[in-house]
Amino acid sequence: MRLSQASLGRLPASVRKPGYDRDATRIGMVHLGIGAFHRAHQAVVIEDRLEAGESAWGIAAASLRSPETRDALAPQDWLYTMAVRSEAGEDLRVIGAIREGHVAPENPEALIARMAHPDTRIVSLTVTEKGYCHDPATGTLNEAHPDILADLAATGKPKTAIGFLAAALERRRAEGLPAFTVLCCDNLPSNGRTVKRVLDRFSALRDPELGRWVADHVLCPSSMVDRIVPATTDEDRARIAGSLGMEDRWPVMTEPFLQWVIEDRFALGRPDLAAAGVTMVGDVTPFEHMKLRLLNGSHSTMAYLGYLAGHETIAGTIGVPAMARLVRRLMDEEITPTLSMPAGTDLDGYKDALIARFRNPALRHRTAQIAMDGSQKLPQRLLGTVRDRLAAGAPIGLLAVAVAGWMRFAMGWDEKCQPITLNDPMAQRILTAANTAGADAARLATALMGIREIFGTDLPGDPRFTGPVTAALASLLAKGAGATIEAASRG
Ligand code: CS2
């Protein structure tokens, strides 16, 4: 038996299922990027609003690349299980908010038509950092990106998220429909402003008239999203099937914690998100810095150093006392001083909770998963903090160890001389730079810092940055990750 609308009634009573009439919902939101993160985050918030009777906000979700998710979920009427995992056990809920699915390359027109439908009021995105085809150091459109060039040349069959947004907006404008709101849910700095900058520019390059209309009419509120969602494994599938008494081809695994902070600027209305626990604010920047720097900055630090020290998961990495000390010191001494939070924010409580989340033994969040796409992640997770520290004349010793961890990882082989697969849109550039430099810390650091899209033009020329990074890299090369973590944790 397989999970579907017809089999819902046969689920065990302990599994929560949609209590509203799915067939009575309309589609009000299109989501680009139907990965596990969306299904364990935004879709769950929308599910709560559908349960509360806001039936106009069903989701049409699209994959911009592979048919995998559609192949798994379409036969299940787009139902899937969310498993909330902690030491206490596993809590299962079947989510019904996704009402329609698209595989963009198979039928781009159907997706554009759905985005241009009068009922569509919000288009949200989780397409990962690299999905915006921007230059990570400056946040501007990468006008030489092959997919962007292709999307500018041919308008009917976009490949990129930006191409789809522009094509659908172009159609809405032609049909006299108002622009939808674009809600970015990726871990980018000022994510709304970044997508707006990239989209305005792309639209203007396509057609100056469209560019003006998009610039004037499209609202892109920034948002901060937070929930740890490790990739689902076959072991997870088998366990969930056992609990459901039926098969679910693609359940999602997550933690109890969920946070979403959104700037309240929506052109065509929105569901009552606050009623579902979302924080609506005027400016998301402080929350974004708090999350990207403390959570994702620590995550990337643990991913590179933990991987090099031989740990498969984040829980395993933070389980090493020296690593736990290093992460807490990094948070307290180097990241926290760069944050300016609204009065009343309990940053100590936030950091305690983060460490507890990292320790969640039920999650099995792999270091290799987080290590992916470092070129796209480093700027907002670590380098923005570095810049703020340098501007304040403050030391960056621990941040330097984190950056050096990425550099050592980027060499493409580990401490046992085993190959590391570098999953990164800039892998070629990175590996060429690393191979040419070899295992000499100063040469390697210089070569990698020379990648302007990651480090910009300021950091490579600042000895307050290059000095500590080179020293940390020398230690990683000479003594290994374990000893480097131990030494750094004691300062
Ligand atoms: C992680 C994030 O994979 C990664 O790079 O750091 O996906 C992280 O789990 C989420 O941002 C948590 O909200």
Side-chain angles (χ1 to χ4, degrees), residues 37 187 225-228 291 295-296 299 365 369-370 377 381:
F37 183 73
N187 288 316
V225 291
D226 189 8
R227 195 168 213 192
I228 295 176
K291 192 263 174 172
L295 189 157
N296 297 106
H299 244 178
H365 200 188
Q369 185 186 347
I370 300 168
K377 293 175 175 175
R381 293 181 176 207

PDB file of all heavy atoms in Angstrom, residues 37 187 225-228 291 295-296 299 365 369-370 377 381, ligand 1:
ATOM      1  N   PHE A  37      13.631  20.973   2.204  1.00  0.00           N
ATOM      2  CA  PHE A  37      13.526  22.133   3.090  1.00  0.00           C
ATOM      3  C   PHE A  37      12.162  22.817   2.947  1.00  0.00           C
ATOM      4  O   PHE A  37      11.496  23.106   3.935  1.00  0.00           O
ATOM      5  CB  PHE A  37      14.660  23.144   2.832  1.00  0.00           C
ATOM      6  CG  PHE A  37      14.577  24.292   3.799  1.00  0.00           C
ATOM      7  CD1 PHE A  37      14.928  24.124   5.128  1.00  0.00           C
ATOM      8  CD2 PHE A  37      14.089  25.527   3.394  1.00  0.00           C
ATOM      9  CE1 PHE A  37      14.798  25.164   6.043  1.00  0.00           C
ATOM     10  CE2 PHE A  37      13.948  26.568   4.301  1.00  0.00           C
ATOM     11  CZ  PHE A  37      14.320  26.388   5.627  1.00  0.00           C
ATOM     12  N   ASN A 187      19.060  31.095   2.162  1.00  0.00           N
ATOM     13  CA  ASN A 187      19.995  31.683   3.131  1.00  0.00           C
ATOM     14  C   ASN A 187      20.965  32.663   2.477  1.00  0.00           C
ATOM     15  O   ASN A 187      22.175  32.504   2.550  1.00  0.00           O
ATOM     16  CB  ASN A 187      20.806  30.571   3.802  1.00  0.00           C
ATOM     17  CG  ASN A 187      19.978  29.766   4.765  1.00  0.00           C
ATOM     18  OD1 ASN A 187      19.200  30.322   5.544  1.00  0.00           O
ATOM     19  ND2 ASN A 187      20.135  28.453   4.723  1.00  0.00           N
ATOM     20  N   VAL A 225      14.679  32.175   7.279  1.00  0.00           N
ATOM     21  CA  VAL A 225      14.059  30.859   7.459  1.00  0.00           C
ATOM     22  C   VAL A 225      14.995  29.991   8.283  1.00  0.00           C
ATOM     23  O   VAL A 225      16.206  30.073   8.130  1.00  0.00           O
ATOM     24  CB  VAL A 225      13.802  30.162   6.104  1.00  0.00           C
ATOM     25  CG1 VAL A 225      12.713  30.858   5.322  1.00  0.00           C
ATOM     26  CG2 VAL A 225      15.071  30.055   5.279  1.00  0.00           C
ATOM     27  N   ASP A 226      14.444  29.194   9.145  1.00  0.00           N
ATOM     28  CA  ASP A 226      15.298  28.312   9.932  1.00  0.00           C
ATOM     29  C   ASP A 226      14.599  27.009  10.299  1.00  0.00           C
ATOM     30  O   ASP A 226      13.566  27.022  10.967  1.00  0.00           O
ATOM     31  CB  ASP A 226      15.762  29.029  11.213  1.00  0.00           C
ATOM     32  CG  ASP A 226      16.822  28.226  11.963  1.00  0.00           C
ATOM     33  OD1 ASP A 226      17.291  27.211  11.415  1.00  0.00           O
ATOM     34  OD2 ASP A 226      17.183  28.634  13.087  1.00  0.00           O
ATOM     35  N   ARG A 227      15.159  25.941   9.857  1.00  0.00           N
ATOM     36  CA  ARG A 227      14.814  24.600  10.306  1.00  0.00           C
ATOM     37  C   ARG A 227      15.879  23.658   9.734  1.00  0.00           C
ATOM     38  O   ARG A 227      16.203  23.752   8.551  1.00  0.00           O
ATOM     39  CB  ARG A 227      13.424  24.178   9.805  1.00  0.00           C
ATOM     40  CG  ARG A 227      12.923  22.961  10.548  1.00  0.00           C
ATOM     41  CD  ARG A 227      11.466  22.665  10.321  1.00  0.00           C
ATOM     42  NE  ARG A 227      10.908  22.093  11.545  1.00  0.00           N
ATOM     43  CZ  ARG A 227       9.711  21.514  11.631  1.00  0.00           C
ATOM     44  NH1 ARG A 227       8.939  21.467  10.567  1.00  0.00           N
ATOM     45  NH2 ARG A 227       9.293  21.017  12.769  1.00  0.00           N
ATOM     46  N   ILE A 228      16.392  22.785  10.544  1.00  0.00           N
ATOM     47  CA  ILE A 228      17.408  21.849  10.060  1.00  0.00           C
ATOM     48  C   ILE A 228      16.700  20.651   9.424  1.00  0.00           C
ATOM     49  O   ILE A 228      15.861  20.010  10.058  1.00  0.00           O
ATOM     50  CB  ILE A 228      18.350  21.425  11.214  1.00  0.00           C
ATOM     51  CG1 ILE A 228      19.140  22.657  11.700  1.00  0.00           C
ATOM     52  CG2 ILE A 228      19.290  20.318  10.758  1.00  0.00           C
ATOM     53  CD1 ILE A 228      20.036  22.406  12.906  1.00  0.00           C
ATOM     54  N   LYS A 291      20.923  34.646  12.481  1.00  0.00           N
ATOM     55  CA  LYS A 291      20.797  33.264  12.035  1.00  0.00           C
ATOM     56  C   LYS A 291      21.930  32.855  11.083  1.00  0.00           C
ATOM     57  O   LYS A 291      22.562  31.818  11.255  1.00  0.00           O
ATOM     58  CB  LYS A 291      19.419  33.074  11.382  1.00  0.00           C
ATOM     59  CG  LYS A 291      19.052  31.633  11.143  1.00  0.00           C
ATOM     60  CD  LYS A 291      19.344  31.192   9.743  1.00  0.00           C
ATOM     61  CE  LYS A 291      19.115  29.706   9.535  1.00  0.00           C
ATOM     62  NZ  LYS A 291      19.211  29.319   8.151  1.00  0.00           N
ATOM     63  N   LEU A 295      24.073  30.448  13.325  1.00  0.00           N
ATOM     64  CA  LEU A 295      23.745  29.059  12.945  1.00  0.00           C
ATOM     65  C   LEU A 295      24.550  28.605  11.738  1.00  0.00           C
ATOM     66  O   LEU A 295      25.357  27.684  11.810  1.00  0.00           O
ATOM     67  CB  LEU A 295      22.242  28.897  12.659  1.00  0.00           C
ATOM     68  CG  LEU A 295      21.785  27.435  12.469  1.00  0.00           C
ATOM     69  CD1 LEU A 295      20.305  27.279  12.759  1.00  0.00           C
ATOM     70  CD2 LEU A 295      22.091  26.842  11.110  1.00  0.00           C
ATOM     71  N   ASN A 296      24.366  29.288  10.612  1.00  0.00           N
ATOM     72  CA  ASN A 296      25.006  28.794   9.390  1.00  0.00           C
ATOM     73  C   ASN A 296      26.530  28.976   9.444  1.00  0.00           C
ATOM     74  O   ASN A 296      27.269  28.139   8.913  1.00  0.00           O
ATOM     75  CB  ASN A 296      24.409  29.469   8.156  1.00  0.00           C
ATOM     76  CG  ASN A 296      22.925  29.150   7.988  1.00  0.00           C
ATOM     77  OD1 ASN A 296      22.083  29.997   8.234  1.00  0.00           O
ATOM     78  ND2 ASN A 296      22.597  27.939   7.596  1.00  0.00           N
ATOM     79  N   HIS A 299      27.634  26.139  11.417  1.00  0.00           N
ATOM     80  CA  HIS A 299      27.414  24.926  10.624  1.00  0.00           C
ATOM     81  C   HIS A 299      28.558  24.715   9.631  1.00  0.00           C
ATOM     82  O   HIS A 299      29.102  23.619   9.525  1.00  0.00           O
ATOM     83  CB  HIS A 299      26.111  25.084   9.830  1.00  0.00           C
ATOM     84  CG  HIS A 299      25.054  24.096  10.218  1.00  0.00           C
ATOM     85  ND1 HIS A 299      23.811  24.100   9.640  1.00  0.00           N
ATOM     86  CD2 HIS A 299      25.041  23.076  11.106  1.00  0.00           C
ATOM     87  CE1 HIS A 299      23.094  23.130  10.181  1.00  0.00           C
ATOM     88  NE2 HIS A 299      23.813  22.507  11.070  1.00  0.00           N
ATOM     89  N   HIS A 365      22.671  14.796  10.529  1.00  0.00           N
ATOM     90  CA  HIS A 365      22.909  15.807   9.489  1.00  0.00           C
ATOM     91  C   HIS A 365      24.362  15.684   9.045  1.00  0.00           C
ATOM     92  O   HIS A 365      25.283  15.918   9.827  1.00  0.00           O
ATOM     93  CB  HIS A 365      22.642  17.190  10.091  1.00  0.00           C
ATOM     94  CG  HIS A 365      22.374  18.245   9.069  1.00  0.00           C
ATOM     95  ND1 HIS A 365      22.262  19.574   9.384  1.00  0.00           N
ATOM     96  CD2 HIS A 365      22.194  18.175   7.723  1.00  0.00           C
ATOM     97  CE1 HIS A 365      22.013  20.263   8.288  1.00  0.00           C
ATOM     98  NE2 HIS A 365      21.981  19.450   7.280  1.00  0.00           N
ATOM     99  N   GLN A 369      27.054  17.188   3.502  1.00  0.00           N
ATOM    100  CA  GLN A 369      25.916  17.902   2.900  1.00  0.00           C
ATOM    101  C   GLN A 369      26.082  19.413   3.097  1.00  0.00           C
ATOM    102  O   GLN A 369      25.900  20.201   2.173  1.00  0.00           O
ATOM    103  CB  GLN A 369      24.584  17.425   3.517  1.00  0.00           C
ATOM    104  CG  GLN A 369      23.378  18.041   2.832  1.00  0.00           C
ATOM    105  CD  GLN A 369      22.026  17.711   3.507  1.00  0.00           C
ATOM    106  OE1 GLN A 369      21.925  16.834   4.355  1.00  0.00           O
ATOM    107  NE2 GLN A 369      20.997  18.430   3.114  1.00  0.00           N
ATOM    108  N   ILE A 370      26.453  19.798   4.304  1.00  0.00           N
ATOM    109  CA  ILE A 370      26.581  21.238   4.597  1.00  0.00           C
ATOM    110  C   ILE A 370      27.812  21.832   3.904  1.00  0.00           C
ATOM    111  O   ILE A 370      27.839  23.003   3.559  1.00  0.00           O
ATOM    112  CB  ILE A 370      26.649  21.438   6.120  1.00  0.00           C
ATOM    113  CG1 ILE A 370      25.367  20.888   6.758  1.00  0.00           C
ATOM    114  CG2 ILE A 370      26.845  22.904   6.488  1.00  0.00           C
ATOM    115  CD1 ILE A 370      25.438  20.754   8.258  1.00  0.00           C
ATOM    116  N   LYS A 377      28.359  30.081   0.007  1.00  0.00           N
ATOM    117  CA  LYS A 377      27.946  30.209   1.405  1.00  0.00           C
ATOM    118  C   LYS A 377      28.892  31.062   2.245  1.00  0.00           C
ATOM    119  O   LYS A 377      28.462  31.763   3.163  1.00  0.00           O
ATOM    120  CB  LYS A 377      27.830  28.818   2.037  1.00  0.00           C
ATOM    121  CG  LYS A 377      26.703  27.970   1.462  1.00  0.00           C
ATOM    122  CD  LYS A 377      26.708  26.551   2.045  1.00  0.00           C
ATOM    123  CE  LYS A 377      25.505  25.746   1.546  1.00  0.00           C
ATOM    124  NZ  LYS A 377      25.557  24.336   1.997  1.00  0.00           N
ATOM    125  N   ARG A 381      28.049  33.732   5.493  1.00  0.00           N
ATOM    126  CA  ARG A 381      28.135  32.979   6.744  1.00  0.00           C
ATOM    127  C   ARG A 381      29.335  33.388   7.586  1.00  0.00           C
ATOM    128  O   ARG A 381      29.277  33.386   8.804  1.00  0.00           O
ATOM    129  CB  ARG A 381      28.222  31.486   6.445  1.00  0.00           C
ATOM    130  CG  ARG A 381      26.948  30.967   5.825  1.00  0.00           C
ATOM    131  CD  ARG A 381      27.016  29.483   5.539  1.00  0.00           C
ATOM    132  NE  ARG A 381      25.727  29.049   5.031  1.00  0.00           N
ATOM    133  CZ  ARG A 381      25.246  27.828   5.157  1.00  0.00           C
ATOM    134  NH1 ARG A 381      25.953  26.910   5.777  1.00  0.00           N
ATOM    135  NH2 ARG A 381      24.060  27.512   4.683  1.00  0.00           N
TER     136      ARG A 381
HETATM  137  C1  CS2 B   1      22.941  24.193   6.375  1.00  0.00           C
HETATM  138  C2  CS2 B   1      21.527  24.774   6.293  1.00  0.00           C
HETATM  139  O1  CS2 B   1      23.154  22.837   4.468  1.00  0.00           O
HETATM  140  C3  CS2 B   1      23.521  23.882   5.014  1.00  0.00           C
HETATM  141  O2  CS2 B   1      24.348  24.616   4.510  1.00  0.00           O
HETATM  142  O3  CS2 B   1      23.750  25.092   7.061  1.00  0.00           O
HETATM  143  O4  CS2 B   1      20.741  24.120   5.376  1.00  0.00           O
HETATM  144  C4  CS2 B   1      20.840  24.796   7.662  1.00  0.00           C
HETATM  145  O5  CS2 B   1      20.559  23.493   8.111  1.00  0.00           O
HETATM  146  C5  CS2 B   1      19.560  25.602   7.633  1.00  0.00           C
HETATM  147  O6  CS2 B   1      19.843  26.886   7.167  1.00  0.00           O
HETATM  148  C6  CS2 B   1      18.924  25.650   9.012  1.00  0.00           C
HETATM  149  O7  CS2 B   1      17.901  26.576   9.008  1.00  0.00           O
END
